[in-house]
Every structure is written in C-alpha cells, then in structure tokens.
Amino acid sequence: MNEFVTPENKILLEPTTVWRDCLRTIKENVTLMTYNTWFLPIKPVELNSSTLKVQLPSQFFWEWIDEHYNTLINKTIHEVLGHDAKLAYVISEEKEVEEIIVHPSQAAVVPEVVEPQKPKQDFESFLNPRYTFDNFIKGEGNQLARAAAGAISDNPGGTSFNPLFVYGGVGLGKTHLIQAIGNKILQNLPEKRVIYLSADMFTVEFVESIQNNTLNDFSNFYRKMDVLIIDDIQSLIGKEKTQDLFFQIFNTLHQSRKQIILSSDKPPKDLKGLDDRLISRFQWGLTADIQPPDLETRIAILKRKSEDYGMSISSEILEYIANNITSNIRELEGCLIKLLANASLNSKEINLELTKNIVKEIATDVKINITIEDITKCVCDYFKIDENKIRDKTRRKEVVNARQIAMYLAKELTKSSLKTIGLHFGGRDHSTVIHAYNSIETSMQTDLQLKDTVNLLRNNIEINCS
C-alpha cells in the first residue's frame, strides 16, 4: 500500500518525496514507454504549502502533457496532496522561465501562463524568444553567417556587416539566425528599438497605411528603428511602390548607422524583378549564404532537439535520420516529433523500423541507405541459402550464382569499393568482384529469367531499405 502524503504531514515533506508518490500512481496508469518518455524527465523543484513545483525540459513537453495527460495528472495530484493542491510547471528553456499552474479540482484546466519579462517597448518586436544563438547549431554550412550574426549582435550598426544579407534554401535556419540577432541585442541593449517581420507583412501594412491615409506614420515608424529585420525579402519582387518606400527607409536607416538584416532564398544578384537600386544596396554590407548542414551537423541538431523534447534515442537511429534527411532542418525536427508521437500514442518502441517508416513519410529528399549486409540478407532469403554459405569457398552452382548476384547488386546499389565488397564475401579480392559483375551483366542480356530475378531482388532491397 502506498504511503501518500496527508494534510497533516505534507508541510514537512520534500518535493522529491511528493513527486515520487505521484509517479507511483502515474506509472500504474500508463505504458512503460509513456512513463519513461513523458514523466521520468520531470524534476521536482519546490513544495510550497499545497503547490508542488516541477520542472519540464521544454514548452513542447508541457504542451504535449497538457493535451494528453492532463486528466491523469489532475487526479494524481488531488489524491496525493489534497483537494486544494496545485501543480506548477516550470519550463526552463533558453534562459526563460514560464510557470503554468494546474488546478486539479477543475475538469477543464485553463493554464495560467506567466510570461517571461520582456524589454519595455511601445511596440511588438515580433521576435520569437525560442530563436537564440544557444540553440542554433553551428556547422560548416553556416559558419560565416553565424560569425557575422554574432558580431552584429554585440555591436549593431557598428560593423561593416550592414546590411547583413543571409540567403539559402527552405528550412536551413535563416529565420532562426536573424531572429537570434534581434533577441541577443534586446537582451544586451533593451533600450534598442528592434523589429522583425516578413516582407509580405511589410507589404500588407504598407497597403493598409495607404487605405487609412497613415502612410507618413507608417514610414516614420520604421525610420525610427535601431534594428530592422526583414525576412524573405524576395517577396518584394513585382511590388514597385513597396520597393520605393523600402528603398527610402533603407537609406534613412543606413545613413543613421542603424542595423539592417535581411534574408532571402537567393543572393541579391539573382533577385530578378527587384529594383536595381535595392540590389546594389543589399550588396553594400555582407552577403552570407547558409548551406545544407553536413552529416555531423545534422546529427548534432538531432541530438539537441531530442534532448529538448526529453527523448532518449540511440545513435544508430539519429544517424539513420541524418543520413536520409540531408537538406532541410525543419524536416529533421518534424521527423523527431512524429517519431515521438507514434512511439508515445501508439505505445511503440522507438526502433529502426519505426524510424524508417516515418522518414519515408516526411522526407522530401530521402536517399536509399543500402548496405552490403542488406543485400546479402535479401539474396540469401530469396535463394534460401544460409548467409555463411555465401561467404564460404564452396563451388556449388546455386551458391556461386547467389554470390555473384549479391556482388553485382552490391556494386550497383552501394558506394562500397570493390575491395570492400570482396572482403565481405569471404575475403575475395577485387578481381573476383569484377568477374562476378561482368558475368551477371553479360548473362542478363540473354537470360531473361536471370534479369527478372535480379530486378526483383533490386526492388525488394530498395523497398526494405527505404
């Protein structure tokens, strides 16, 4: 029988003891996967009267728990601490703290969110506080842009990087980086007037100012900024009047040594349809591209994101995702979220099979990651031959035939060297692999049954490994 907290003794107890009692009940009502994923990472912080404060690793973590396990948590804290009990979630994320109070006696909980203190401004900066330098993973593909961003955040308007023009493909972190500059500036210099918006939003506000006869107010507002951050500047293409006004604002800010930061999907010279005067000014400062992250950077991103979500994922799975999603950071994060959702809601283990299915659903640039081991297994299963036999010195016809087909497919479907392929098949040298490849290639020209078999095996391998 559990020894739960009573009203008489709860004031003497430590938060660890109370939360341990809560976990006992929770563990009895959820799967082990759910318990390990969503409840073990929660850390008790403080017990104050009838309020137990616990710490969560991220905002995403809280949103998930609130949506899926709110009723269970309410019931549990009610049983352990009493009808007047409250549970406060403390979200420690990017040096901010949000407290979310849950009242277990309520059937439908509307959390009270205490917003982190923001710099005092008379307007909305539209900066996302989650975009910081701390959680921006550095790599070779963003090295220059990241270094320039850091220099600007320390001395806005005082470097030669004005404007800073960051460009690159979709989902590579441009928005994250340019907003991180704004957040860092406000952190260090809260008196600065910093604003972030997309070029589309700038256009919408411009049109509304014309309709409302407030164009001067609109123009003066942006001319007073210390830091102007415009995302997706290519959206101004074809909008001549908006370009004219932006040109004037740009000149005013630049002449006043105010910082201008822009992003685009292309470098300035490739923005056809944009006023030449603007293109010229965009090139006054620094133009820095962001390239797709390399393998090591993709793995680092996945590790950081999985830690943020309180997930424990093996290196094998992280490397598989990183190897198969190569050009889009958003897809990397999307894959992790969907992996976590499937594992938690469907009580599935986070394994390689589940990962492959999710990567296939999400990725737009999936590469088929086939190994010699995959090919060997598929060929041996098809011909009903033990995998050890295919590596033996035996000259039995059916084994030799299967080995030659496997060598042929290994050369076709992997980037392994001839030497590596030969070593895999019993330590044979590269000349044996070449002979096997040429033999199968030649025979398929006249032996249609062999051709069908090889094509069938190729398809099976690609399907199983995709």
Side-chain angles (χ1 to χ4, degrees):
M1 181 176 177
N2 293 341
E3 297 178 1
F4 291 123
V5 182
T6 65
E8 291 75 20
N9 67 19
K10 65 184 178 184
I11 194 170
L12 302 175
L13 292 174
E14 293 292 326
T16 303
T17 304
V18 176
W19 183 240
R20 184 186 62 209
D21 287 340
C22 291
L23 287 179
R24 290 177 185 170
T25 296
I26 291 170
K27 192 172 185 179
E28 293 173 356
N29 289 276
V30 297
T31 65
L32 184 60
M33 167 68 73
T34 296
Y35 178 78
N36 290 335
T37 301
W38 295 110
F39 294 99
L40 275 187
I42 298 176
K43 305 298 181 186
V45 175
E46 180 183 340
L47 179 61
N48 182 10
S49 184
S50 296
T51 300
L52 173 65
K53 187 180 294 184
V54 295
Q55 181 175 313
L56 305 185
S58 69
Q59 177 73 16
F60 168 83
F61 206 96
W62 170 73
E63 290 172 356
W64 188 277
I65 285 182
D66 183 60
E67 180 177 352
H68 297 284
Y69 306 111
N70 184 276
T71 302
L72 173 60
I73 291 175
N74 288 346
K75 179 182 176 183
T76 302
I77 195 69
H78 181 210
E79 291 178 357
V80 173
L81 277 179
H83 292 285
D84 59 341
K86 302 174 184 177
L87 186 67
Y89 294 138
V90 179
I91 302 171
S92 295
E93 187 173 63
E94 299 156 15
K95 299 180 181 178
E96 296 176 1
V97 175
E98 296 183 5
E99 288 194 9
I100 302 155
I101 312 298
V102 177
H103 303 273
S105 59
Q106 298 176 355
V109 176
V110 179
E112 173 194 338
V113 181
V114 180
E115 294 289 344
Q117 188 172 0
K118 297 180 180 179
K120 293 181 179 179
Q121 294 191 136
D122 56 359
F123 62 93
E124 175 60 56
S125 70
F126 298 112
L127 290 166
N128 185 335
R130 297 187 62 180
Y131 290 145
T132 69
F133 287 123
D134 289 340
N135 58 21
F136 183 86
I137 305 297
K138 291 183 286 187
E140 289 187 8
N142 60 40
Q143 198 168 31
L144 175 61
R146 172 62 179 82
I152 289 169
S153 66
D154 291 334
N155 188 16
T159 72
S160 58
F161 310 143
N162 196 17
L164 173 64
F165 191 102
V166 179
Y167 72 93
V170 174
L172 296 183
K174 301 187 301 295
T175 298
H176 186 148
L177 183 62
I178 63 177
Q179 289 203 47
I181 300 172
N183 282 319
K184 185 66 178 295
I185 291 171
L186 284 180
Q187 179 184 333
N188 295 337
L189 303 166
E191 74 280 3
K192 292 290 185 182
R193 295 173 64 85
V194 180
I195 195 166
Y196 160 88
L197 72 163
S198 68
D200 277 336
M201 182 56 68
F202 182 87
T203 303
V204 169
E205 290 187 3
F206 171 62
V207 172
E208 289 179 351
S209 72
I210 294 175
Q211 293 172 341
N212 299 330
N213 198 28
T214 57
L215 183 57
N216 285 338
D217 293 340
F218 172 79
S219 178
N220 289 333
F221 173 77
Y222 286 103
R223 291 171 194 262
K224 291 178 181 177
M225 289 298 131
D226 294 303
V227 181
L228 176 61
I229 307 172
I230 303 288
D231 211 350
D232 294 323
I233 198 68
Q234 74 274 4
S235 296
L236 294 186
I237 291 175
K239 300 165 183 172
E240 295 180 2
K241 290 185 177 180
T242 310
Q243 289 182 39
D244 286 341
L245 181 64
F246 185 74
F247 174 78
Q248 296 168 22
I249 292 172
F250 183 102
N251 283 344
T252 299
L253 293 176
H254 196 272
Q255 290 168 7
S256 302
R257 295 178 62 84
K258 305 300 184 182
Q259 184 67 50
I260 302 166
I261 302 164
L262 309 169
S263 83
S264 173
D265 60 349
K266 298 182 181 69
K269 63 183 180 63
D270 292 339
L271 295 176
K272 308 302 180 185
L274 204 62
D275 193 314
D276 288 342
R277 298 177 304 169
L278 280 175
I279 292 175
S280 173
R281 279 157 176 75
F282 291 169
Q283 295 173 321
W284 278 356
L286 176 68
T287 299
D289 68 332
I290 295 184
Q291 295 291 332
D294 56 25
L295 177 62
E296 290 76 12
T297 305
R298 296 196 299 274
I299 293 174
I301 290 170
L302 288 168
K303 284 183 177 178
R304 170 66 67 85
K305 293 295 183 182
S306 62
E307 290 170 1
D308 289 345
Y309 297 149
M311 301 169 68
S312 178
I313 301 179
S314 70
S315 296
E316 178 190 21
I317 290 174
L318 294 180
E319 288 177 12
Y320 179 86
I321 297 172
N323 271 308
N324 287 279
I325 299 179
T326 61
S327 63
N328 194 311
I329 295 173
R330 289 178 195 163
E331 288 184 358
L332 288 174
E333 185 170 5
C335 186
L336 278 182
I337 291 173
K338 191 158 188 178
L339 186 64
L340 180 57
N342 274 266
S344 181
L345 293 181
N346 301 322
S347 300
K348 292 182 178 179
E349 180 185 358
I350 298 180
N351 56 27
L352 193 56
E353 180 182 0
L354 176 62
T355 304
K356 286 181 178 181
N357 290 334
I358 290 174
V359 167
K360 188 175 180 181
E361 291 175 12
I362 287 181
T364 57
D365 62 342
V366 174
K367 300 185 301 178
I368 296 177
N369 190 24
I370 298 172
T371 66
I372 300 175
E373 288 78 9
D374 295 327
I375 294 169
T376 303
K377 184 179 187 307
C378 190
V379 170
C380 289
D381 287 348
Y382 181 83
F383 288 108
K384 295 181 173 55
I385 295 173
D386 187 280
E387 288 187 36
N388 291 324
K389 293 290 184 183
I390 208 170
R391 300 184 181 93
D392 288 347
K393 301 294 184 182
T394 178
R395 293 186 175 274
R396 285 172 50 194
K397 184 177 179 180
E398 64 272 22
V399 177
V400 172
N401 183 52
R403 183 189 304 127
Q404 289 187 334
I405 290 174
M407 287 181 172
Y408 172 86
L409 290 169
K411 185 176 183 300
E412 285 280 298
L413 300 176
T414 75
K415 294 181 180 180
S416 300
S417 65
L418 296 175
K419 181 179 179 181
T420 299
I421 295 172
L423 288 173
H424 182 88
F425 292 99
R428 291 168 168 81
D429 61 29
H430 73 283
S431 62
T432 304
V433 179
I434 293 174
H435 172 74
Y437 183 87
N438 291 337
S439 175
I440 297 298
E441 180 84 355
T442 301
S443 297
M444 284 196 300
Q445 295 176 11
T446 55
D447 188 340
L448 297 181
Q449 184 176 353
L450 173 63
K451 184 177 180 179
D452 289 342
T453 299
V454 172
N455 287 336
L456 175 64
L457 286 167
R458 182 198 296 268
N459 289 335
N460 288 344
I461 292 166
E462 290 179 342
I463 290 171
N464 290 334
C465 296
S466 64

